[in-house]
Amino acid sequence: MNLDHQRELTPVLYGSSPVKLWQFRPQAHSRAIGTHWHERFEILVIDEGILDVQLNGKSYKAYPGDTVIINPCVSHDAYTTDTSVSYRVIMFELLDSFGQSEITRRVLEPFLKQSAAFQPLIKDPALVQLADAIFETSKKKPDGYALSLMGQIYSLLGILCDKYVDTEFVKPPAEGQFQDILDYIDQNYCENISSASISQRFGYSEAYFSRRFKAVTGLRPMEYIKILRLERARQLLKDSRSTISSAAFSCGFTSVNYFLRCFKARYGFTVGEYQKNTVKAAPD
């Protein structure tokens, strides 16, 4: 689901360090990460709370001690549920700093080209310990700390390559010829469209279209459309003037009860809980 409009455009400035480190503490019932993708490699280490992470549309619940691996070019976002969360982020470019030798380029390039991937959710104390060491090195900045950071990242990648290559990963086919369909859906997802109507419009059998769409996006067509509708409804519900029914119907849902169930399943909290924490009062 690596659509151009979701690509992160702001470059990460590393300075003299080969890695960029962040620590976040989003509140309960909040969007921790907006939907986007990038070509760099990213690791999330969960310290407190539960983070609901979506990777190419598939949901994972990350608990304290878990490590979330965001492979290059994977669309991702994240939400908190009923508790605040504390997590750390380690980001780096796979080949710029770590792929200058022939052996590292040979090992790492498949991950950058999406012909291989690491497992998305891992519980391994060794990875957390390495993350702790990386943050400690960056904080103290001893002489030669940039080289120390590179060594620690190499150790982390070594563990991932040795134990956590995703053996079920299948490289998605090129999506260029599907871009017209994705654009059409993005422009019309609030309308009464379906797998049948879209496949007919673009000259596919519905069965082939559904298989091809899932291969490109990781989702079935109506799952993809449902996510777009929920995201739009969530934006509408930030305004106190928007009722639940108006938000649901205007985004393409034909049943309020179904919308409420989908919202809870997607975000981990109810519409009422979301409105209580995010709705802005209408101006006088």
Coordinates of all heavy atoms in Angstrom, one line a residue, residues 109-161:
E109 N 20.8 -5.3 0.9 CA 20.1 -4.7 -0.2 C 18.8 -5.4 -0.5 O 17.8 -4.7 -0.9 CB 21.0 -4.8 -1.5 CG 20.6 -3.8 -2.6 CD 21.7 -3.6 -3.6 OE1 22.2 -4.6 -4.1 OE2 22.0 -2.5 -3.9
P110 N 18.6 -6.7 -0.3 CA 17.3 -7.3 -0.5 C 16.2 -6.7 0.3 O 15.0 -6.6 -0.1 CB 17.5 -8.8 -0.2 CG 19.0 -9.0 -0.4 CD 19.6 -7.7 0.0
F111 N 16.6 -6.2 1.5 CA 15.5 -5.7 2.4 C 15.1 -4.3 1.9 O 14.0 -3.9 2.0 CB 16.1 -5.6 3.9 CG 16.4 -6.9 4.5 CD1 17.6 -7.5 4.4 CD2 15.4 -7.6 5.1 CE1 17.9 -8.7 4.9 CE2 15.6 -8.9 5.6 CZ 16.9 -9.4 5.5
L112 N 16.1 -3.5 1.4 CA 15.7 -2.2 0.8 C 14.9 -2.4 -0.5 O 14.0 -1.6 -0.7 CB 17.0 -1.5 0.5 CG 16.8 0.0 0.0 CD1 16.1 0.8 1.0 CD2 18.2 0.6 -0.3
K113 N 15.2 -3.4 -1.2 CA 14.5 -3.6 -2.5 C 13.2 -4.4 -2.3 O 12.5 -4.8 -3.3 CB 15.4 -4.3 -3.5 CG 16.5 -3.5 -4.0 CD 17.4 -4.2 -5.0 CE 18.4 -3.3 -5.6 NZ 19.3 -4.0 -6.6
Q114 N 12.8 -4.7 -1.1 CA 11.6 -5.4 -0.8 C 11.5 -6.8 -1.3 O 10.4 -7.3 -1.6 CB 10.4 -4.6 -1.2 CG 10.2 -3.2 -0.6 CD 9.0 -2.5 -1.2 OE1 7.9 -2.8 -0.7 NE2 9.2 -1.6 -2.1
S115 N 12.6 -7.5 -1.5 CA 12.6 -8.9 -1.9 C 12.9 -9.7 -0.6 O 12.9 -11.0 -0.7 CB 13.7 -9.2 -2.9 OG 15.0 -8.8 -2.5
A116 N 13.0 -9.1 0.5 CA 13.1 -9.8 1.8 C 12.6 -8.8 2.9 O 12.6 -7.6 2.7 CB 14.5 -10.2 2.1
A117 N 12.3 -9.4 4.0 CA 11.8 -8.5 5.1 C 12.0 -9.2 6.4 O 12.1 -10.4 6.5 CB 10.3 -8.2 5.0
F118 N 12.2 -8.4 7.5 CA 12.3 -8.9 8.8 C 10.9 -9.1 9.4 O 9.9 -8.4 9.0 CB 13.1 -8.0 9.7 CG 14.5 -7.9 9.3 CD1 15.1 -6.7 9.0 CD2 15.3 -9.0 9.3 CE1 16.4 -6.6 8.6 CE2 16.7 -9.0 8.9 CZ 17.2 -7.7 8.5
Q119 N 10.7 -10.0 10.4 CA 9.4 -10.1 11.1 C 9.0 -8.8 11.7 O 9.8 -8.1 12.2 CB 9.5 -11.2 12.1 CG 9.8 -12.6 11.6 CD 10.0 -13.6 12.7 OE1 9.6 -13.4 13.8 NE2 10.7 -14.7 12.4
P120 N 7.7 -8.5 11.6 CA 7.2 -7.2 12.1 C 7.2 -7.0 13.6 O 7.3 -5.9 14.0 CB 5.8 -7.1 11.4 CG 5.4 -8.5 11.3 CD 6.6 -9.3 11.0
L121 N 6.9 -8.1 14.3 CA 6.8 -7.9 15.8 C 7.6 -9.0 16.5 O 7.4 -10.2 16.2 CB 5.3 -8.0 16.2 CG 4.9 -7.8 17.6 CD1 5.3 -6.4 18.0 CD2 3.5 -8.1 17.9
I122 N 8.5 -8.6 17.3 CA 9.5 -9.5 18.0 C 9.5 -9.2 19.5 O 9.6 -8.1 19.9 CB 10.9 -9.3 17.3 CG1 10.8 -9.6 15.8 CG2 11.9 -10.3 18.0 CD1 12.1 -9.1 15.1
K123 N 9.6 -10.3 20.2 CA 9.9 -10.2 21.7 C 11.2 -10.9 21.9 O 11.2 -12.1 22.0 CB 8.7 -10.8 22.5 CG 9.0 -10.6 24.0 CD 7.8 -11.1 24.8 CE 6.6 -10.2 24.8 NZ 6.8 -8.9 25.4
D124 N 12.2 -10.1 22.1 CA 13.6 -10.6 22.3 C 14.3 -9.6 23.2 O 14.6 -8.5 22.8 CB 14.3 -10.8 21.0 CG 15.6 -11.6 21.2 OD1 16.2 -11.5 22.3 OD2 16.1 -12.2 20.2
P125 N 14.6 -10.0 24.5 CA 15.4 -9.1 25.4 C 16.7 -8.6 24.8 O 17.1 -7.5 25.1 CB 15.6 -10.0 26.6 CG 14.5 -11.0 26.6 CD 14.3 -11.3 25.1
A126 N 17.3 -9.4 23.9 CA 18.6 -9.0 23.3 C 18.4 -7.8 22.5 O 19.3 -6.9 22.5 CB 19.2 -10.1 22.5
L127 N 17.3 -7.7 21.8 CA 17.1 -6.5 20.9 C 16.8 -5.2 21.8 O 17.3 -4.1 21.5 CB 15.9 -6.7 20.0 CG 16.1 -7.8 18.9 CD1 14.8 -7.9 18.1 CD2 17.2 -7.4 18.0
V128 N 16.1 -5.4 22.9 CA 15.8 -4.3 23.8 C 17.1 -3.9 24.5 O 17.4 -2.6 24.6 CB 14.8 -4.7 24.9 CG1 14.6 -3.6 25.9 CG2 13.5 -5.1 24.2
Q129 N 18.0 -4.8 24.9 CA 19.3 -4.4 25.5 C 20.1 -3.6 24.5 O 20.8 -2.7 24.9 CB 20.0 -5.7 25.9 CG 19.3 -6.4 27.1 CD 19.9 -7.7 27.4 OE1 20.9 -8.1 26.8 NE2 19.3 -8.5 28.4
L130 N 20.1 -4.0 23.2 CA 20.9 -3.3 22.2 C 20.3 -1.9 22.0 O 21.0 -0.9 21.9 CB 20.9 -4.0 20.9 CG 22.0 -5.1 20.7 CD1 21.8 -5.9 19.5 CD2 23.4 -4.4 20.7
A131 N 19.0 -1.8 22.1 CA 18.4 -0.5 22.0 C 18.8 0.4 23.1 O 19.1 1.6 23.0 CB 16.8 -0.6 21.9
D132 N 18.8 -0.2 24.3 CA 19.2 0.6 25.5 C 20.7 1.1 25.3 O 21.0 2.2 25.7 CB 19.2 -0.3 26.8 CG 17.7 -0.7 27.2 OD1 16.8 0.0 26.7 OD2 17.6 -1.7 27.9
A133 N 21.5 0.2 24.8 CA 22.9 0.6 24.6 C 23.0 1.7 23.6 O 23.9 2.6 23.7 CB 23.7 -0.7 24.2
I134 N 22.3 1.6 22.5 CA 22.3 2.6 21.5 C 21.9 4.0 22.0 O 22.5 5.0 21.8 CB 21.4 2.2 20.3 CG1 22.0 1.1 19.5 CG2 21.1 3.4 19.4 CD1 21.1 0.4 18.6
F135 N 20.8 4.0 22.8 CA 20.4 5.3 23.4 C 21.4 5.8 24.4 O 21.7 7.0 24.5 CB 19.0 5.1 24.1 CG 17.9 5.3 23.2 CD1 17.5 4.3 22.3 CD2 17.2 6.5 23.1 CE1 16.4 4.5 21.4 CE2 16.1 6.7 22.2 CZ 15.7 5.7 21.4
E136 N 22.0 4.9 25.2 CA 23.0 5.3 26.2 C 24.3 5.9 25.5 O 24.8 6.9 25.9 CB 23.4 4.1 27.0 CG 24.3 4.5 28.2 CD 23.7 5.3 29.3 OE1 22.4 5.4 29.3 OE2 24.4 5.9 30.1
T137 N 24.7 5.2 24.4 CA 25.9 5.8 23.6 C 25.6 7.1 23.1 O 26.4 8.0 23.1 CB 26.2 4.8 22.5 OG1 26.6 3.5 23.1 CG2 27.4 5.3 21.7
S138 N 24.4 7.3 22.5 CA 24.0 8.6 21.9 C 23.9 9.7 23.0 O 24.3 10.8 22.7 CB 22.7 8.4 21.2 OG 22.3 9.6 20.6
K139 N 23.5 9.3 24.2 CA 23.3 10.3 25.2 C 24.7 10.7 25.7 O 25.0 11.9 25.9 CB 22.5 9.7 26.4 CG 22.3 10.6 27.6 CD 21.5 9.9 28.6 CE 21.3 10.8 29.9 NZ 20.6 10.1 30.9
K140 N 25.6 9.8 26.0 CA 26.9 10.1 26.5 C 27.9 10.7 25.5 O 28.8 11.4 25.9 CB 27.5 8.9 27.2 CG 26.8 8.4 28.5 CD 27.5 7.3 29.1 CE 26.8 6.9 30.4 NZ 27.4 5.7 31.1
K141 N 27.7 10.3 24.3 CA 28.6 10.7 23.2 C 30.1 10.6 23.5 O 30.8 11.6 23.5 CB 28.3 12.2 22.8 CG 26.9 12.3 22.1 CD 26.7 13.7 21.6 CE 25.5 13.9 20.7 NZ 24.3 13.4 21.3
P142 N 30.6 9.4 23.8 CA 32.0 9.3 24.1 C 32.8 9.5 22.8 O 32.2 9.5 21.7 CB 32.1 7.8 24.5 CG 31.0 7.1 23.9 CD 29.9 8.2 23.9
D143 N 34.1 9.6 22.9 CA 34.9 9.7 21.7 C 34.7 8.5 20.7 O 34.6 7.4 21.2 CB 36.4 9.7 22.1 CG 36.8 11.0 22.8 OD1 36.0 12.0 22.7 OD2 37.9 11.0 23.5
G144 N 34.5 8.9 19.5 CA 34.2 7.8 18.5 C 32.8 7.2 18.6 O 32.6 6.1 18.2
Y145 N 31.9 8.0 19.2 CA 30.6 7.4 19.5 C 29.8 7.0 18.2 O 29.0 6.1 18.2 CB 29.7 8.4 20.3 CG 29.0 9.5 19.5 CD1 27.7 9.4 19.2 CD2 29.7 10.6 19.1 CE1 27.0 10.3 18.5 CE2 29.0 11.6 18.4 CZ 27.7 11.5 18.1 OH 27.1 12.4 17.4
A146 N 30.1 7.7 17.1 CA 29.4 7.4 15.8 C 29.8 6.0 15.4 O 28.9 5.2 14.9 CB 29.8 8.4 14.8
L147 N 31.1 5.6 15.6 CA 31.5 4.3 15.2 C 30.9 3.3 16.2 O 30.5 2.1 15.8 CB 33.0 4.2 15.3 CG 33.8 5.0 14.2 CD1 35.3 4.9 14.4 CD2 33.4 4.4 12.8
S148 N 30.8 3.6 17.4 CA 30.2 2.7 18.4 C 28.7 2.5 18.0 O 28.2 1.3 18.1 CB 30.2 3.3 19.8 OG 31.6 3.4 20.2
L149 N 28.0 3.5 17.6 CA 26.6 3.4 17.2 C 26.5 2.5 16.0 O 25.6 1.6 15.9 CB 26.0 4.7 16.9 CG 25.7 5.7 18.1 CD1 25.2 7.0 17.6 CD2 24.6 5.0 18.9
M150 N 27.4 2.6 15.0 CA 27.4 1.8 13.9 C 27.6 0.3 14.3 O 26.9 -0.6 13.8 CB 28.4 2.2 12.9 CG 28.1 3.5 12.2 SD 29.4 4.1 11.0 CE 29.2 2.8 9.7
G151 N 28.5 0.1 15.2 CA 28.8 -1.3 15.7 C 27.5 -1.9 16.3 O 27.2 -3.1 16.1
Q152 N 26.9 -1.1 17.1 CA 25.6 -1.6 17.8 C 24.5 -1.9 16.8 O 23.8 -2.8 17.0 CB 25.2 -0.5 18.9 CG 26.2 -0.5 20.0 CD 26.0 0.8 20.9 OE1 25.5 1.8 20.4 NE2 26.4 0.7 22.1
I153 N 24.4 -1.0 15.8 CA 23.4 -1.3 14.7 C 23.7 -2.5 14.0 O 22.9 -3.3 13.7 CB 23.3 -0.1 13.8 CG1 22.7 1.1 14.5 CG2 22.4 -0.4 12.6 CD1 21.2 1.0 14.9
Y154 N 25.0 -2.7 13.7 CA 25.4 -4.0 13.0 C 25.0 -5.2 13.9 O 24.6 -6.2 13.3 CB 26.9 -4.0 12.8 CG 27.4 -3.4 11.5 CD1 28.3 -2.3 11.5 CD2 26.9 -3.8 10.3 CE1 28.7 -1.8 10.3 CE2 27.3 -3.3 9.1 CZ 28.2 -2.2 9.1 OH 28.7 -1.7 7.9
S155 N 25.3 -5.1 15.2 CA 24.9 -6.2 16.1 C 23.4 -6.5 16.0 O 23.0 -7.6 16.0 CB 25.3 -5.9 17.5 OG 26.7 -5.8 17.6
L156 N 22.6 -5.4 16.0 CA 21.2 -5.5 16.0 C 20.7 -6.2 14.7 O 19.9 -7.1 14.7 CB 20.6 -4.1 16.1 CG 19.0 -4.0 16.3 CD1 18.7 -2.8 17.2 CD2 18.3 -4.0 15.0
L157 N 21.3 -5.7 13.5 CA 21.0 -6.3 12.2 C 21.4 -7.7 12.2 O 20.8 -8.6 11.5 CB 21.6 -5.5 11.1 CG 21.0 -4.1 10.9 CD1 21.9 -3.3 9.9 CD2 19.6 -4.2 10.3
G158 N 22.5 -8.0 12.8 CA 23.0 -9.4 12.8 C 22.0 -10.4 13.5 O 21.7 -11.5 13.0
I159 N 21.4 -9.9 14.6 CA 20.4 -10.7 15.3 C 19.2 -10.9 14.4 O 18.6 -12.0 14.3 CB 20.0 -10.1 16.7 CG1 21.2 -10.1 17.6 CG2 18.8 -10.8 17.3 CD1 20.9 -9.4 18.9
L160 N 18.8 -9.8 13.8 CA 17.6 -9.9 12.9 C 17.8 -10.8 11.8 O 17.0 -11.6 11.4 CB 17.2 -8.5 12.4 CG 16.7 -7.5 13.4 CD1 16.5 -6.1 12.8 CD2 15.4 -8.0 14.1
C161 N 19.0 -10.7 11.1 CA 19.3 -11.6 10.0 C 19.4 -13.1 10.4 O 19.1 -14.0 9.7 CB 20.6 -11.2 9.3 SG 20.4 -9.6 8.4

